[in-house]
Amino acid sequence: MGQLDSGLAFVVWKGGMMAVDEHAENAVRHPLSAAISYFDKGHASVKGFLTAGSAYALLTILEAQMRDGIGGPLAEIGTYHGKSLIGFGLAAAPGEHVVGIDLFRERGGDFEAVLRDHWRSFGLAEDRLRLHRGASTALDTSGWAQLVCTPARLVHVDGEHTRTAARHDLGLAASLLAADGVIVVDDVLHAWYPEITLAVAEFLIENPIFKAFAILDRQGPLIGGGAKMMIAR
């Protein structure tokens, strides 16, 4: 076990890093116990792409925000079946909601109902979930604000993997982000999606107030998911 400068305890092993409360008597008493359990093993029951390292990186950000009193909605552009989104829901504080944007279509089928079923199966209330069906590129900052309502503390960008779309999604995320909020971009430095990396570079050049403060390298085969970059002011 190690200690972050801010006092957050963490456990590191070859699969990733898990934030824990070293003062709690047991994991059940930890405020994020449900999210910890989900990002550890629970997410395996939900179809999607999330490596162990990425799961614990997201969990570490969520716990740091809880510790520091950083609040606000959590959002994801490109939910698929909800593999990350459900973890955000389990980590959301009372009064916070979770926003998900997707086309919800795959090979002629519709998976919105699948996502909602997963959401309920983990004991999450439907009134805390706000889903928007459609392309994120069709949303302007006003439409995004209507969905998110208040500055988001975390936005996971995993939408259309083109330079134009990714750059647009980063702009949406930045337009209503809490002062200490974090943007997490999926599939950066991915061999199959070089335009994501170009979009991130373009965004950072045009918005120097934002900095990339961490990158989690891909683990395992490319099909399992790419690297994630964390961006904040």
Side-chain angles (χ1 to χ4, degrees):
M1 177 174 290
Q3 192 80 22
L4 296 176
D5 291 342
S6 51
L8 179 67
F10 61 92
V11 176
V12 181
W13 74 104
K14 65 180 181 180
M17 178 172 72
M18 182 175 76
V20 298
D21 183 356
E22 63 176 356
H23 302 296
E25 294 180 3
N26 54 66
V28 175
R29 292 184 58 188
H30 193 284
L32 293 182
S33 59
I36 290 172
S37 177
Y38 178 81
F39 280 117
D40 183 22
K41 293 184 173 64
H43 68 85
S45 64
V46 181
K47 187 178 179 181
F49 310 94
L50 185 66
T51 66
S54 293
Y56 286 112
L58 291 174
L59 178 59
T60 301
I61 291 172
L62 292 167
E63 184 156 3
Q65 291 182 330
M66 179 201 69
R67 177 204 62 214
D68 294 341
I70 300 169
L74 302 99
E76 182 169 46
I77 299 174
T79 66
Y80 198 39
H81 288 202
K83 199 173 187 75
S84 300
L85 198 73
I86 291 165
F88 298 159
L90 293 169
E96 293 180 341
H97 62 273
V98 178
V99 174
I101 299 174
D102 207 295
L103 296 174
F104 301 112
R105 303 287 295 178
E106 181 184 36
R107 299 185 182 92
D110 191 297
F111 55 82
E112 180 179 344
V114 174
L115 188 157
R116 291 187 181 277
D117 285 345
H118 283 315
W119 183 268
R120 289 190 295 267
S121 73
F122 283 93
L124 292 165
E126 287 197 67
D127 62 1
R128 301 186 69 185
L129 176 63
R130 300 181 183 179
L131 295 182
H132 175 81
R133 178 185 290 269
S136 60
T137 51
L139 284 173
D140 58 15
T141 55
S142 175
W144 173 258
Q146 289 179 23
L147 283 172
V148 181
C149 294
T150 58
R153 62 178 166 112
L154 188 148
V155 181
H156 186 216
V157 176
D158 191 16
E160 183 183 331
H161 282 37
T162 65
R163 181 174 182 173
T164 300
R167 178 63 187 83
H168 175 84
D169 292 347
L170 285 164
L172 291 181
S175 69
L176 196 61
L177 190 71
D180 295 313
V182 177
I183 301 171
V184 179
V185 189
D186 195 37
D187 289 331
V188 176
L189 302 178
H190 197 299
W192 295 349
Y193 309 113
E195 292 194 12
I196 300 294
T197 305
L198 293 174
V200 171
E202 184 177 285
F203 171 79
L204 292 173
I205 291 171
E206 294 178 356
N207 299 273
I209 191 173
F210 286 96
K211 307 294 182 184
F213 68 88
I215 187 164
L216 184 72
D217 199 7
R218 177 184 57 80
Q219 300 161 340
L222 284 171
I223 192 65
K228 291 187 184 294
M229 179 177 284
M230 286 67 168
I231 298 172
R233 291 185 182 88

